[in-house]
Amino acid sequence: MWNNIYYSFPIQLFFLHLKKNIPLLLLWAILLLIILEKFGTVLGIPFLFLDPEYLNEVSWKGFFLMGVAFGVFTMAFHMTTYILDGAKFKFLAVIPRPFIQYCINNAIIPLVFYIVYLYRFIGFQLDNEHEDRIEVFEYFLGFTGGSILIYAIIFSYFAFTNKDLFVIFADSVEKRLRKTRIPRANMLRRIKESKETKNKVLYYLDIRNGFEPVRLDLARFEGHQLLRVFDQNHLNLIIIQSVLILLILFLGFFREYPVLQIPAAMSATLLFAIIMMLIGALAFWLREWLAPVIIIFLLLFNFLSKSPLLNRPHTAFGMNYDTKPAVYNLENLQNLLHPDSVEKDRSNTIQILENWKAKFPSKTVPRMIFITTSGGGQRAALWTLNVLQHVEKASQGKVFNHTQMITGASGGVVGAAFFRELYLRHQEEPGINYLNKEYLHQISSDNLNPIIFTLLVNDLFIRNQYYTYNGREYLQDRGFAFENQLNINTKEIMDKPLKAYSKPEYESKIPMLPITPLITNDGRKLYISPHSMSYMGISASRSEGINEKSQGIDFRRFFKDQDADNLRFISALRMGATFPFITPHIQLPSLPQMETMDAGLSDNFGIQDALRFIYVFQDWIKENTSGVTLITIRDSEKFTEIDQKILPTIFQKLSIPLKNILINWDNIQTLNNEVLYNQFKESMEFDIEKIEFEYSTSEFLRDRGLTDSVGTVNPAAQEIQRASLNWRLTAREKVSIIDNIKSFQNQAALQSVRNIEFLKPKED
């Protein structure tokens, strides 16, 4: 019995894949690790598969599309391995519907994956999202229906072509293939190999009759008869692969329609399916030449990638790329920091400060507030907006009125900018309730599906669609998809040029909010603001003859001839929130071309910019305020337990140095900011205090007993419970972020906000 089981067709196919088709199994392994939450957990990748969102909601429709995606991926696996290995099993040529029979016997790997996925997504939904089991059952039916639909379509096609079209057109197919020597010689060689192979099969699983013994009287069948069967199915594979790729490209022309913005996990799975079919096609055609041809292709592609067609810039919408580019060299940077220019910018900002002071009674001294917010994708955006709403409520609307500037990075600035715009509209129309919780839903709505879908249908190929903004055309990319979806989520209230905020900031109706992406060319910051801030790029004590390297570039002065003031504000937000590989680096119209990255690379918490501004205007602050309160909003914990070290493997030793740098980047910036803040507090001649809010999961874990015997939180468990770092949040993560304001530490911070003495009587 064991001998019969071991030499059954399903088991032999399984072992054949383990020996020969490792690249294909690697794709299955990646998907399996993702759904088991062993890969990409910090970035929230598993939740894209376990909780797919479609049309801004998690429903049976999203799971239906995931069923379709996994069905396509599974059939790609079957078709690819059939072409590669089908000829090794001669009995397939004489059984009815050979490809369908092959798929049934090749189902071990897909079946295991489906069982694990069903178990994981049902468990995830029951544990984290729903108490209603009927709704989860609807998700199961949706997923099952999507898978069955795609299998029914493809199996029907193969059943029809193998039964009828092969009989009618097999000779013409064979004649066409005879005209090309390479594919026919390739297949004949495979048939020859199949006669010499030692693959032994005693039983196969028949779709109608269960396990059937393999016929051994195959000597009467000639090689050309076998060739017809495999030729036909190879042609079917080419047809289906071509239809799939063309369909995806076709959908790309209509990707702005929400109904076609499929779940991000579906886009990733379809990409895996294409990769699998390409691997199979290359292996079939190239055989032993596969490795050298791939190496030559990569080298050739790398060389050709320097061409203008493949290097068209990812643009900042609103800027003029048709005019003469700005000169980006040391001489021009020095000219921008001419003492007269710096003093002019200082004088303009002092007038803004005077306008801020004029809002308060003349016989009082107001408290100046700075808000700093950290980066962290949509997690940080939601947490920042949530904190600002609670802070305003706790202070009875006083905090934002006293706030002079907001600084920070990435998602935190996106959330703060949204709140600032709501506050501005509330001033213009008091009926608008800027503390409405509906805005939390808006800022946390999915922003990832259109980005990943655009990557699949557009950015992986040649970008060829344009977008018109203020009369200028720009190539669409996943950056455009990010901006467009953010616009939709926030009801387009921030869709305005940078200059639209010049007057409200000048009149101190709203706080200043400089966006500070990192310039990858030289490590400087780019200060994007409707008011020039050249004083932020150089020390206040700088004088001629002192050799000081500027730390920042004022955006408006540098790009004045490239229409800097008409930069789309949402594009500016994207420049400060450029997540690697998700949203592309923006190239600006300069020579050489300036590129920007996420502001969090230089200062993820905004502390440095806030303290620099305070330092520049310390004399004015000393004379006109009662001091400064720094409200910091962190999307990470300031104090974390020290992780236990285990003996590393050889591979871990190779990755530990880089891993330690990445893991401790947050801690390094926190420690540097602590040193800088303490120096300021001790050296300034006015009072400075700091109130800290942070998104923490420690209390969550302690409340549920998820600690060791002495109550210590495990850092790994703590990181898993945190909301993921991307532009899409699950319902559980949203609740976790919103409810975190109730933690003991954040409630204490709110009490500190209530205790702020916003106005003091002026001393005679």
Side-chain angles (χ1 to χ4, degrees):
M1 181 184 66
W2 291 110
N3 189 63
N4 291 340
I5 292 175
Y6 179 77
Y7 287 108
S8 65
F9 195 27
I11 298 300
Q12 287 299 301
L13 280 175
F14 176 73
F15 285 121
L16 177 65
H17 297 327
L18 290 178
K19 290 186 294 183
K20 181 176 177 292
N21 296 320
I22 296 300
L24 304 183
L25 296 186
L26 183 61
L27 297 176
W28 283 107
I30 292 173
L31 289 177
L32 191 63
L33 289 173
I34 288 174
I35 64 174
L36 290 173
E37 297 186 53
K38 301 297 182 182
F39 178 84
T41 305
V42 174
L43 300 178
I45 297 175
F47 306 141
L48 303 178
F49 289 80
L50 302 175
D51 195 45
E53 188 167 326
Y54 177 61
L55 298 178
N56 289 322
E57 66 174 353
V58 177
S59 66
W60 68 268
K61 299 174 185 176
F63 282 97
F64 175 84
L65 293 174
M66 287 306 303
V68 171
F70 284 140
V72 171
F73 180 73
T74 302
M75 292 310 301
F77 174 69
H78 288 322
M79 290 186 289
T80 299
T81 56
Y82 179 81
I83 292 301
L84 293 177
D85 304 319
K88 291 181 173 62
F89 304 96
K90 294 187 292 183
F91 73 92
L92 285 174
V94 297
I95 62 176
R97 297 183 175 86
F99 177 72
I100 298 177
Q101 300 281 25
Y102 176 86
C103 293
I104 299 299
N105 287 269
N106 196 40
I108 290 180
I109 294 173
L111 182 61
V112 170
F113 176 82
Y114 270 70
I115 291 173
V116 174
Y117 178 73
L118 289 172
Y119 174 79
R120 289 292 300 160
F121 99 69
I122 291 174
F124 180 86
Q125 295 295 328
L126 292 176
D127 292 343
N128 301 297
E129 304 284 350
H130 301 286
E131 296 179 359
D132 186 357
R133 296 176 181 268
I134 295 179
E135 190 170 2
V136 177
F137 183 65
E138 290 178 358
Y139 295 170
F140 169 78
L141 292 179
F143 175 78
T144 305
S147 297
I148 291 175
L149 175 65
I150 201 69
Y151 294 144
I153 292 173
I154 296 180
F155 280 156
S156 297
Y157 170 77
F158 273 98
F160 180 67
T161 54
N162 278 288
K163 181 178 180 181
D164 297 314
L165 290 186
F166 172 70
V167 174
I168 299 173
F169 297 113
D171 288 337
S172 62
V173 170
E174 188 176 359
K175 289 176 181 177
R176 289 200 302 272
L177 290 173
R178 277 185 187 146
K179 297 178 181 179
T180 55
R181 297 181 179 179
I182 296 178
R184 186 165 184 82
N186 202 3
M187 182 59 75
L188 288 171
R189 184 167 63 252
R190 286 180 174 272
I191 292 174
K192 182 180 179 181
E193 291 172 356
S194 71
K195 295 179 179 179
E196 301 172 354
T197 184
K198 297 181 180 179
N199 292 302
K200 179 181 177 182
V201 176
L202 299 180
Y203 289 89
Y204 71 96
L205 182 60
D206 185 85
I207 192 173
R208 295 170 299 180
N209 304 318
F211 279 98
E212 289 284 325
V214 172
R215 293 177 58 185
L216 301 178
D217 56 335
L218 299 177
R220 61 189 178 86
F221 294 98
E222 300 294 336
H224 74 275
Q225 293 175 305
L226 302 178
L227 178 62
R228 287 187 175 188
V229 177
F230 297 118
D231 278 350
Q232 175 64 42
N233 287 283
H234 184 207
L235 181 63
N236 290 337
L237 170 62
I238 294 174
I239 292 173
I240 293 178
Q241 180 178 355
S242 301
V243 169
L244 174 62
I245 295 176
L246 290 174
L247 176 62
I248 292 174
L249 291 175
F250 176 76
L251 292 177
F253 289 101
F254 306 96
R255 62 179 180 272
E256 293 182 31
Y257 292 91
V259 71
L260 294 180
Q261 293 175 2
I262 59 179
M266 182 181 184
S267 296
T269 305
L270 291 178
L271 177 60
F272 273 31
I274 293 174
I275 292 173
M276 179 171 288
M277 288 189 285
L278 290 177
I279 290 174
L282 290 173
F284 176 79
W285 294 107
L286 301 177
R287 301 282 285 162
E288 63 272 9
W289 289 95
L290 177 62
V293 169
I294 289 179
I295 293 174
I296 293 173
F297 172 78
L298 291 176
L299 293 175
L300 182 62
F301 180 77
N302 182 63
F303 175 77
L304 295 176
S305 64
K306 297 186 296 183
S307 66
L309 180 63
L310 299 178
N311 274 282
R312 293 184 289 182
H314 296 279
T315 52
F317 303 139
M319 297 193 70
N320 188 352
Y321 284 78
D322 297 324
T323 190
K324 183 179 179 181
V327 178
Y328 185 19
N329 57 24
L330 292 177
E331 181 181 358
N332 194 28
L333 295 184
Q334 292 298 321
N335 293 336
L336 293 175
L337 295 172
H338 189 278
D340 292 343
S341 299
V342 175
E343 183 56 35
K344 181 179 179 181
D345 294 347
R346 280 172 48 85
S347 298
N348 181 69
T349 303
I350 286 177
Q351 185 57 54
I352 294 175
L353 296 177
E354 292 289 346
N355 294 337
W356 172 85
K357 179 186 174 184
K359 295 189 297 183
F360 309 107
S362 59
K363 294 185 178 182
T364 62
V365 182
R367 190 79 176 180
M368 180 173 281
I369 294 177
F370 288 80
I371 296 174
T372 69
T373 178
S374 72
Q378 199 167 45
R379 175 182 72 195
L382 176 58
W383 175 237
T384 298
L385 180 60
N386 187 38
V387 170
L388 289 177
Q389 287 190 334
H390 279 85
V391 163
E392 274 292 274
K393 186 176 180 180
S395 67
Q396 298 180 339
K398 296 177 182 177
V399 162
F400 224 62
N401 190 41
H402 281 253
T403 301
Q404 169 55 40
M405 177 174 284
I406 303 172
T407 58
S410 192
V413 170
V414 174
F418 185 45
F419 182 81
R420 187 180 73 151
E421 177 63 34
L422 293 170
Y423 180 80
L424 176 61
R425 301 213 172 195
H426 168 73
Q427 288 183 303
E428 297 170 347
E429 299 179 42
I432 296 177
N433 180 13
Y434 67 109
L435 301 181
N436 193 321
K437 298 303 179 184
E438 168 63 22
Y439 299 122
L440 297 176
H441 171 71
Q442 290 183 18
I443 199 65
S444 61
S445 295
D446 174 66
N447 205 13
L448 190 63
N449 282 352
I451 296 175
I452 302 302
F453 185 60
T454 302
L455 174 66
L456 174 66
V457 302
N458 186 75
D459 289 13
L460 288 180
F461 303 96
I462 298 177
R463 290 178 288 146
N464 57 4
Q465 289 182 273
Y466 287 85
Y467 163 69
T468 301
Y469 180 78
N470 279 353
R472 297 192 182 107
E473 284 192 338
Y474 304 90
L475 276 169
Q476 293 188 22
D477 55 16
R478 57 194 186 279
F480 165 79
F482 170 85
E483 294 184 23
N484 188 55
Q485 190 61 44
L486 179 61
N487 229 356
I488 294 172
N489 294 345
T490 57
K491 311 302 181 185
E492 301 184 355
I493 67 172
M494 293 188 291
D495 192 9
K496 53 179 64 175
L498 182 66
K499 65 182 179 182
Y501 289 106
S502 178
K503 184 177 179 181
E505 285 190 12
Y506 184 79
E507 296 176 349
S508 201
K509 290 183 177 180
I510 56 175
M512 300 175 71
L513 195 156
I515 301 168
T516 57
L518 178 74
I519 303 172
T520 60
N521 305 65
D522 53 25
R524 291 179 171 90
K525 284 186 177 182
L526 183 65
Y527 287 93
I528 304 175
S529 170
H531 297 279
S532 293
M533 305 174 69
S534 58
Y535 50 79
M536 296 290 282
I538 204 73
S539 67
S541 60
R542 179 201 186 213
S543 60
E544 293 298 330
I546 296 179
N547 187 20
E548 179 184 352
K549 182 175 181 178
S550 61
Q551 298 98 52
I553 299 174
D554 181 73
F555 175 77
R556 288 186 70 245
R557 288 192 178 277
F558 189 84
F559 290 108
K560 64 178 181 179
D561 295 329
Q562 289 73 38
D563 210 3
D565 285 337
N566 278 316
L567 170 70
R568 192 187 195 192
F569 183 68
I570 295 180
S571 290
L573 291 177
R574 173 164 64 96
M575 290 170 67
T578 302
F579 198 86
F581 305 111
I582 302 300
T583 48
H585 303 164
I586 286 182
Q587 289 86 37
L588 295 170
S590 64
L591 188 66
Q593 202 167 60
M594 181 186 291
E595 293 190 1
T596 62
M597 279 192 67
D598 197 294
L601 290 174
S602 56
D603 179 17
N604 194 47
F605 303 98
I607 300 291
Q608 295 176 17
D609 288 327
L611 295 181
R612 178 182 282 272
F613 185 91
I614 294 170
Y615 179 77
V616 172
F617 297 99
Q618 56 181 303
D619 293 337
W620 190 95
I621 293 173
K622 176 185 175 182
E623 294 295 327
N624 296 279
T625 73
S626 63
V628 170
T629 296
L630 205 62
I631 297 178
T632 66
I633 305 173
R634 299 174 55 100
D635 89 318
S636 61
E637 291 172 285
K638 186 174 180 179
F639 300 99
T640 56
E641 294 293 343
I642 309 301
D643 199 359
Q644 293 291 333
K645 297 297 181 182
I646 59 176
L647 294 177
T649 64
I650 291 293
F651 293 115
Q652 288 174 334
K653 287 181 179 179
L654 295 175
S655 63
I656 279 176
L658 180 59
K659 182 180 178 181
N660 287 340
I661 293 174
L662 295 175
I663 290 176
N664 287 309
W665 189 250
D666 184 274
N667 291 328
I668 292 170
Q669 291 197 12
T670 297
L671 292 172
N672 289 337
N673 289 336
E674 290 286 276
V675 172
L676 188 61
Y677 171 76
N678 289 327
Q679 288 176 343
F680 261 75
K681 187 174 178 65
E682 295 170 0
S683 61
M684 292 295 103
E685 298 182 24
F686 48 84
D687 178 56
I688 299 180
E689 67 171 350
K690 183 167 59 173
I691 301 174
E692 294 181 314
F693 292 86
E694 66 177 45
Y695 169 55
S696 169
T697 54
S698 298
E699 287 191 27
F700 174 87
L701 294 170
R702 291 192 180 98
D703 291 344
R704 288 156 179 76
L706 302 176
T707 59
D708 61 18
S709 57
V710 295
T712 302
V713 175
N714 181 282
Q718 189 172 346
E719 189 61 36
I720 290 174
Q721 290 298 329
R722 284 171 52 76
S724 51
L725 179 63
N726 63 24
W727 287 105
R728 191 260 171 168
L729 298 170
T730 66
R732 181 196 69 178
E733 291 174 325
K734 294 176 186 178
V735 172
S736 168
I737 294 169
I738 294 173
D739 287 350
N740 211 263
I741 196 68
K742 300 175 183 177
S743 74
F744 176 80
Q745 176 180 341
N746 291 323
Q747 286 298 306
L750 283 176
Q751 186 57 46
S752 297
V753 169
R754 296 185 187 99
N755 295 336
I756 294 175
E757 189 174 0
F758 290 96
L759 293 173
K760 281 186 177 181
K762 182 183 292 186
E763 296 180 0
D764 294 331

